[in-house]
Amino acid sequence: MFKLICVTARALCREDFLQRVEKLAFSGVDEIILREKDLDEAAYRALAERALPLCRQGGVPCTLHTYPRAAQSLGVNRLHMPLPLLMEQPELRKDFGVIGTSVHSLQQARSARELGVDYVTAGHIFPTDCKKGLPPRGPQWLREICRAFNGPVYAIGGIDEGNILSVRQAGVSGACIMSGLMACEDVRAKVTALRASAGIDG
């Protein structure tokens, strides 16, 4: 199954953020990663506490980011951790049912594999305003990451209707979309277009 995952970014949202989360929960995405790395732990937990019921109503898994104690206090068993933080706290692997991390090189993919994470996000694949000035890594690099990690790899960075099929053909398990789903006018139409372009049924 090729997953379509929304990675949130409040700064890119043109409407009330929680309204956007609610729309996303009913849009057809397969998962939401509540990223919001600029928030401190207390503010992040408060936001997550409001976002999680919206995701549950839409039947979409919500993965929390960076703050394991906040996730545990809210009863969330899914955590995405930046790789440097996870390497400092490898014991977190046993505390969560699903744990993932982000990688930007083959060595990082190998390190993530050694830590026993369930999945990695890998990027950035195409040019994106989120990584201005940094050269994209491209689909061929994705193929190498898939071989190095030996588990689900989700591509991220500049993915849209025009290139999502090439990402899928690189052998990844899904695509993460940030700005495309945060800034679009019609969330459901955007998700439908992405799924169609990727050749995803349903």
Side-chain angles (χ1 to χ4, degrees), residues 106 109-110 138-150 170:
L106 287 173
R110 295 184 186 107
Q140 179 55 41
W141 177 81
L142 268 182
R143 294 185 179 92
E144 296 171 5
I145 294 295
C146 289
R147 288 193 290 268
F149 180 64
N150 193 31

Side-chain angles (χ1 to χ4, degrees), residues 7 9 12 20 128-130 158-159 177-184 190:
V7 180
L12 300 174
R20 177 62 47 137
T128 170
D129 286 344
C130 298
I159 299 169
I177 316 291
M178 183 183 289
S179 57
L181 289 173
M182 286 287 101
C184 65
K190 183 72 171 180

Side-chain angles (χ1 to χ4, degrees), residues 10-30:
R10 297 180 341 282
L12 300 174
C13 194
R14 298 172 184 169
E15 64 179 337
D16 176 80
F17 177 69
L18 290 170
Q19 287 182 356
R20 177 62 47 137
V21 170
E22 184 175 24
K23 290 177 182 177
L24 284 162
F26 289 90
S27 70
V29 296
D30 297 297

Side-chain angles (χ1 to χ4, degrees), residues 38-117:
D38 62 302
L39 296 177
D40 65 26
E41 185 167 6
Y44 181 85
R45 187 192 183 285
L47 182 66
E49 193 169 22
R50 298 178 68 192
L52 286 166
L54 302 174
C55 295
R56 283 194 289 268
Q57 288 167 21
V60 176
C62 182
T63 298
L64 298 191
H65 202 293
T66 303
Y67 295 117
R69 287 182 301 176
Q72 289 171 321
S73 72
L74 292 168
V76 176
N77 204 26
R78 307 171 63 90
L79 181 69
H80 189 100
M81 282 290 283
L83 184 58
L85 294 181
L86 188 57
M87 293 178 78
E88 292 172 5
Q89 306 170 76
E91 69 280 1
L92 286 174
R93 178 63 197 91
K94 62 180 172 45
D95 294 335
F96 290 88
V98 176
I99 194 163
T101 192
S102 304
V103 300
H104 308 287
S105 69
L106 287 173
Q107 183 53 53
Q108 288 183 354
R110 295 184 186 107
S111 295
R113 182 183 64 198
E114 290 166 7
L115 285 167
V117 301

